Amino acid sequence: MVAHAQGAIEHVPVAGTASVPPAAPPEERFELEPILTAIVQSHVAAEERLPGQQPIVIPHVWYSDTGDVLNVELGKAYLPTDYTITFEEQVNAIVSLLITYTQQRTPIYNVDVWFEGKDIFFYFPEERGPEDRVVPKSVPEAKHRPKRDLGNGRVLVSAGHGVYYNSRYKDWRAQRDPVNHMVEDFSTPAFARRLERFLVARGGAEVIQARSDEGARHVDSDMPWHYMAARYHIQAMLPELPSVWNSPGKSALGMEERDQDIRSRPLFANHLGVDAAIHLHTNADASPETRGIRVFHHVKSPESKHFAGLALCYMKESLSSNAFYANFPILSHASRENHAENRLADMASIIAELGFHTNKDDADAIQSDSFQVLTMRGLEKAYRMFKQGNGCVPFGATYSDVTVMSDSTAEASITFAGFPRFPVRLESVVAECPSGVMCWPLAGYFKEPTAPLAISHSCLAKEPFTMKWNVRFIDADGISARTTAVMHCKPKAKTPS
């Protein structure tokens, strides 16, 4: 028996998005609300207060009527005198705390925070971003999204944090503390460099880095330029535009330039007119057990929400191709949070939190070359799919059963789901071979998706038999799609004597 492959792939670009998780049933909401309220109360009570915040804050947490949104009322007592990135991080820490806890029960990805029944922008309207000024009437489904006529694309890649000047202590320091033998500020540039290489090589995109990758010394700090926060790199490139890198920053803790750094990234993206901004971070949590990849988008940007969902989808697909990282935890849905990096951007903007540096296993992964390659390969594919107007469809394959008459040939057809990168290789192992029959593995190599794929099978038999193969298709990214191939061989019909 012999089977051989010929032809090319039938490529099926089916658009789609991940299904929405079911809302918590009413009885579970009733049970969880006081628990979640107590968790937030304990967290807030242990926080150091910012100027203007009152010592006594009484939060309340409840579910929406539909059960898919959590509401957090913090009251006016939690309002600071000035809106700062530190305050923003306080609020987002509460949101992340609730998202983490609800993963144990019914997942919640949408958390709304209120201050005496009003959102934070009622008190600080100047902080509203472009997308927050106009509420879209509806969120278009991915399959209805038009193709983006953007050439090869233009992307801002922003490695999180970096060294800044603290005016209170009058020194230069990283924005994050060392933990598990790493510092976020010095780990994210490695991801950014890999992402840039993938974006350029695979999609021909123009990539602008928010932080410098130069090894020369920054004069004022006497530190290598690649240690420095984006604010200083942008200042060096655009000295005539202080509105981009020197936006208002108010902080009694000496972190004005840290706040300016966060704001400078989306403002720089707006100035450049890029079609997407990708902010790369690692995450932190009070519990060393919390881990995994999360992606955040701005509340009022459906375009960013779609991009964020694709980022999770294709990073998961990429990590799944590696046995060691196949089960690395990834949140199934992107979360909406109020981050200035996304809020102040005019274009699709996402924050990818690539694991928790406060968890040892995640910290080890973050510092691994393999993990960096796998996650950034997935992010590049997510951007490519976003630019092309596609949805979340992981690589899959079907292989039709085939019936062959002895001493003849018949063709089996293959259909691919998703968006594999060509060339695609076929390999297999024999899973079922009848006694007395010589069985060979299938193999093939397909250069491009220009025509339906035909696998030609042949056999010799005096009695009917069935053969099976376990088949694996591997695309140029190393992403695998597995299926089973079955051939039924029948002897020729006897002719009358």
Side-chain angles (χ1 to χ4, degrees):
M1 176 272 154
V2 178
H4 64 277
Q6 64 183 20
I9 303 290
E10 181 183 357
H11 181 216
V12 183
V14 183
T17 55
S19 59
V20 177
E27 60 274 14
E28 184 172 317
R29 298 178 222 165
F30 181 78
E31 177 188 343
L32 278 176
E33 285 176 353
I35 297 173
L36 297 174
T37 296
I39 288 172
V40 175
Q41 173 70 71
S42 177
H43 174 85
V44 169
E47 283 183 324
E48 181 180 353
R49 292 292 183 260
L50 298 174
Q53 290 182 329
Q54 301 302 307
I56 304 299
V57 176
I58 304 176
H60 174 54
V61 181
W62 73 99
Y63 280 88
S64 64
D65 291 341
T66 55
D68 57 351
V69 177
L70 271 177
N71 292 283
V72 183
E73 174 61 61
L74 295 173
K76 283 188 175 181
Y78 200 70
L79 288 173
T81 303
D82 297 303
Y83 188 101
T84 63
I85 298 301
T86 302
F87 169 69
E88 188 174 286
E89 290 174 341
Q90 278 188 334
V91 175
N92 288 334
I94 294 170
V95 173
S96 292
L97 184 69
L98 293 170
I99 290 173
T100 297
Y101 186 85
T102 55
Q103 295 313 299
Q104 305 167 25
R105 308 287 287 268
T106 303
I108 282 286
Y109 303 99
N110 299 326
V111 180
D112 290 337
V113 181
W114 307 101
F115 303 85
E116 208 167 272
K118 300 178 175 62
D119 70 14
I120 192 61
F121 304 115
F122 176 83
Y123 303 96
F124 300 100
E126 71 280 3
E127 291 295 328
R128 292 185 184 276
E131 290 287 356
D132 205 23
R133 295 170 195 147
V134 179
V135 179
K137 293 181 180 179
S138 62
V139 178
E141 295 183 12
K143 63 183 180 180
H144 298 310
R145 292 172 56 83
K147 300 290 183 180
R148 298 171 63 85
D149 185 17
L150 296 168
N152 292 332
R154 200 162 190 244
V155 189
L156 177 76
V157 173
S158 176
H161 301 301
V163 170
Y164 79 103
Y165 180 72
N166 187 292
S167 63
R168 180 180 182 182
Y169 296 101
K170 301 189 184 307
D171 64 6
W172 294 86
R173 56 177 59 193
Q175 298 181 37
R176 294 293 185 257
D177 295 325
V179 60
N180 285 321
H181 309 292
M182 65 164 284
V183 178
E184 177 182 357
D185 308 56
F186 307 137
S187 298
T188 53
F191 288 92
R193 288 191 295 271
R194 294 185 189 279
L195 180 57
E196 178 177 9
R197 286 196 288 269
F198 283 132
L199 287 166
V200 172
R202 298 185 177 184
E206 179 186 356
V207 178
I208 301 94
Q209 294 279 0
R211 286 173 62 179
S212 173
D213 61 358
E214 292 182 19
R217 295 267 168 182
H218 174 250
V219 174
D220 293 340
S221 67
D222 197 34
M223 292 186 180
W225 261 109
H226 60 266
Y227 282 9
M228 305 306 297
R231 178 206 183 280
Y232 306 102
H233 179 50
I234 298 168
Q235 178 182 5
M237 289 191 295
L238 302 172
E240 74 285 0
L241 289 177
S243 60
V244 173
W245 48 265
N246 195 32
S247 60
K250 300 176 181 178
S251 173
L253 305 175
M255 294 190 289
E256 297 86 1
E257 293 192 10
R258 189 195 73 134
D259 282 22
Q260 291 168 1
D261 173 54
I262 295 295
R263 295 166 180 274
S264 72
R265 299 162 188 262
L267 297 178
F268 185 43
N270 295 346
H271 171 75
L272 294 170
V274 298
D275 61 275
I278 303 173
H279 305 276
L280 305 174
H281 288 267
T282 62
N283 216 334
D285 192 81
S287 169
E289 302 304 314
T290 304
R291 58 178 310 213
I293 291 174
R294 299 180 180 184
V295 177
F296 299 97
H297 64 89
H298 182 40
V299 177
K300 301 291 177 64
S301 172
E303 194 172 48
S304 297
K305 180 180 179 181
H306 177 63
F307 186 18
L310 294 178
L312 288 168
C313 172
Y314 290 111
M315 280 195 286
K316 182 177 179 64
E317 180 192 58
S318 184
L319 286 166
S320 296
S321 69
N322 181 290
F324 189 79
Y325 293 113
N327 296 316
F328 194 90
I330 302 178
L331 229 60
S332 61
H333 282 67
S335 300
R336 63 185 199 189
E337 282 192 14
N338 174 33
H339 292 270
E341 284 167 297
N342 289 335
R343 184 182 74 251
L344 300 178
D346 286 331
M347 73 298 299
S349 177
I350 63 171
I351 295 172
E353 298 276 6
L354 304 163
F356 282 76
H357 53 252
T358 44
N359 175 273
K360 186 181 183 306
D361 290 337
D362 278 17
D364 289 344
I366 289 164
Q367 298 171 82
S368 160
D369 289 345
S370 296
F371 182 80
Q372 293 170 13
V373 168
L374 291 166
T375 51
M376 295 304 97
R377 184 179 72 181
L379 257 186
E380 181 280 327
K381 183 173 181 179
Y383 171 71
R384 190 162 20 102
M385 296 300 99
F386 170 74
K387 192 166 82 74
Q388 293 172 5
N390 294 320
C392 168
V393 190
F395 184 24
T398 57
Y399 194 122
S400 68
D401 287 8
V402 61
T403 300
V404 186
M405 298 300 295
S406 179
D407 199 25
S408 63
T409 62
E411 293 183 341
S413 63
I414 290 173
T415 302
F416 277 8
F419 309 93
R421 199 167 74 89
F422 287 84
V424 175
R425 187 174 78 255
L426 179 158
E427 61 182 36
S428 69
V429 294
V430 177
E432 184 179 311
C433 181
S435 176
V437 176
M438 185 175 292
C439 301
W440 302 95
L442 301 169
Y445 184 77
F446 314 109
K447 292 183 178 180
E448 54 187 28
T450 55
L453 170 69
I455 302 292
S456 183
H457 292 261
S458 61
C459 67
L460 293 171
K462 293 183 179 180
E463 299 293 335
F465 67 85
T466 296
M467 272 192 67
K468 292 182 181 179
W469 297 265
N470 291 328
V471 178
R472 185 164 75 117
F473 295 93
I474 307 102
D475 81 348
D477 285 333
I479 307 298
S480 297
R482 298 176 184 272
T483 188
T484 301
V486 178
M487 181 194 72
H488 305 286
C489 185
K490 293 185 176 182
K492 285 185 175 180
K494 293 181 180 180
T495 56
S497 55

